[in-house]
Amino acid sequence: DTEVTQTPKHLVMGMTNKKSLKCEQHMGHRAMYWYKQKAKKPPELMFVYSYEKLSINESVPSRFSPECPNSSLLNLHLHALQPEDSALYLCASSLVGGTNTGELFFGEGSRLTVL
Amino acid sequence: GENVEQHPSTLSVQEGDSAVIKCTYSDSASNYFPWYKQELGKRPQLIIDIRSNVGEKKDQRIAVTLNKTAKHFSLHITETQPEDSAVYFCAYSPGNTGFQKLVFGTGTRLLVSP
């Protein structure tokens, strides 16, 4: 299995809602990532988990809360979002260490609309 | 700061022509430079990468060159085909992040006309 699977594909939520984005991979990758991508812009790193521990937080507002329950799963909990948070949220995974370290395998993304 | 400049922002070529995209970075400690292709509505996918211990790497019609002294790297696509049409992002990994952090360029929209 060489896929990163994200659910849901589309999500519409109000500013007072609580929702979660989910990501799963079974490639044995021990690094997992959340990126945010606005239309016609590059992906922007939000969080990195390495061996299930948060290793990088790019000063993301606390209304975004990541969670890595195990080596295959990554969640992004959303609460009290703003309309400007509407974007494509991409999950990715990669190996840690070794000669192929660095290549990111992206999921198809969850397109979030905040009303 | 951590940024990478990418040019051009759009590039239109005829099928069979070559395409060149250039990026300039600022962190002299960087040692990993990947290129990602993102087709419309699809996920970004790695097409080629280069590490700082080599100056050039080739994979069929795609090549990447790296000039560490000048802090720039370039993507070269030869014999372009319509299916090469996509947005291409260069990226680099800041020197102290163990490849885990990637800073992406602003992207180049390549259009290959038949």
Side-chain angles (χ1 to χ4, degrees):
Chain A
D1 186 353
T2 57
E3 285 249 323
V4 175
T5 304
Q6 289 187 244
T7 56
K9 287 187 170 24
H10 299 275
L11 178 63
V12 179
M13 61 186 291
M15 289 190 284
T16 58
N17 291 159
K18 281 187 183 180
K19 296 285 184 183
S20 297
L21 306 181
K22 297 186 183 299
C23 176
E24 189 168 0
Q25 58 87 17
H26 296 287
M27 294 180 277
H29 291 171
R30 300 307 295 273
M32 295 187 76
Y33 309 74
W34 282 114
Y35 278 83
K36 173 182 177 180
Q37 187 176 29
K38 296 276 232 180
K40 299 187 178 182
K41 296 291 186 182
E44 291 180 27
L45 182 64
M46 299 174 71
F47 302 104
V48 181
Y49 274 83
S50 181
Y51 293 98
E52 296 89 70
K53 288 188 173 16
L54 184 64
S55 58
I56 297 177
N57 176 344
E58 288 288 281
S59 302
V60 178
S62 60
R63 58 185 182 268
F64 295 91
S65 176
E67 178 196 19
C68 190
N70 60 54
S71 60
S72 300
L73 295 175
L74 184 67
N75 298 322
L76 186 63
H77 303 298
L78 314 171
H79 174 53
L81 295 193
Q82 304 297 311
E84 58 264 31
D85 296 322
S86 298
L88 181 68
Y89 288 84
L90 291 163
C91 174
S93 69
S94 75
L95 292 168
V96 179
T99 57
N100 289 328
T101 299
E103 178 177 2
L104 295 178
F105 291 79
F106 283 94
E108 293 283 7
S110 292
R111 189 163 298 283
L112 173 67
T113 302
V114 182
L115 300 176
Chain B
E2 295 177 346
N3 68 300
V4 53
E5 292 183 12
Q6 182 171 348
H7 299 282
S9 57
T10 58
L11 181 57
S12 293
V13 299
Q14 291 291 119
E15 183 177 359
D17 288 351
S18 295
V20 180
I21 303 170
K22 298 182 179 180
C23 287
T24 304
Y25 63 99
S26 53
D27 183 354
S28 57
S30 303
N31 52 19
Y32 178 61
F33 307 89
W35 287 87
Y36 282 80
K37 175 184 180 182
Q38 188 173 27
E39 297 178 38
L40 190 61
K42 302 284 190 183
R43 73 189 83 190
Q45 290 189 293
L46 180 74
I47 54 170
I48 196 167
D49 58 11
I50 192 167
R51 295 171 200 269
S52 59
N53 55 347
V54 297
E56 184 175 2
K57 184 176 177 181
K58 242 183 145 175
D59 183 3
Q60 299 181 15
R61 296 185 297 109
I62 293 172
V64 57
T65 57
L66 171 64
N67 183 328
K68 280 217 80 177
T69 304
K71 294 190 218 166
H72 63 71
F73 56 114
S74 301
L75 177 71
H76 305 254
I77 306 175
T78 58
E79 300 171 34
T80 53
Q81 301 167 2
E83 50 265 39
D84 294 330
S85 296
V87 178
Y88 291 80
F89 293 103
C90 65
Y92 80 98
S93 182
N96 61 350
T97 60
F99 302 117
Q100 289 192 349
K101 178 172 179 175
L102 283 184
V103 177
F104 284 86
T106 49
T108 296
R109 186 170 299 276
L110 174 64
L111 177 61
V112 182
S113 303

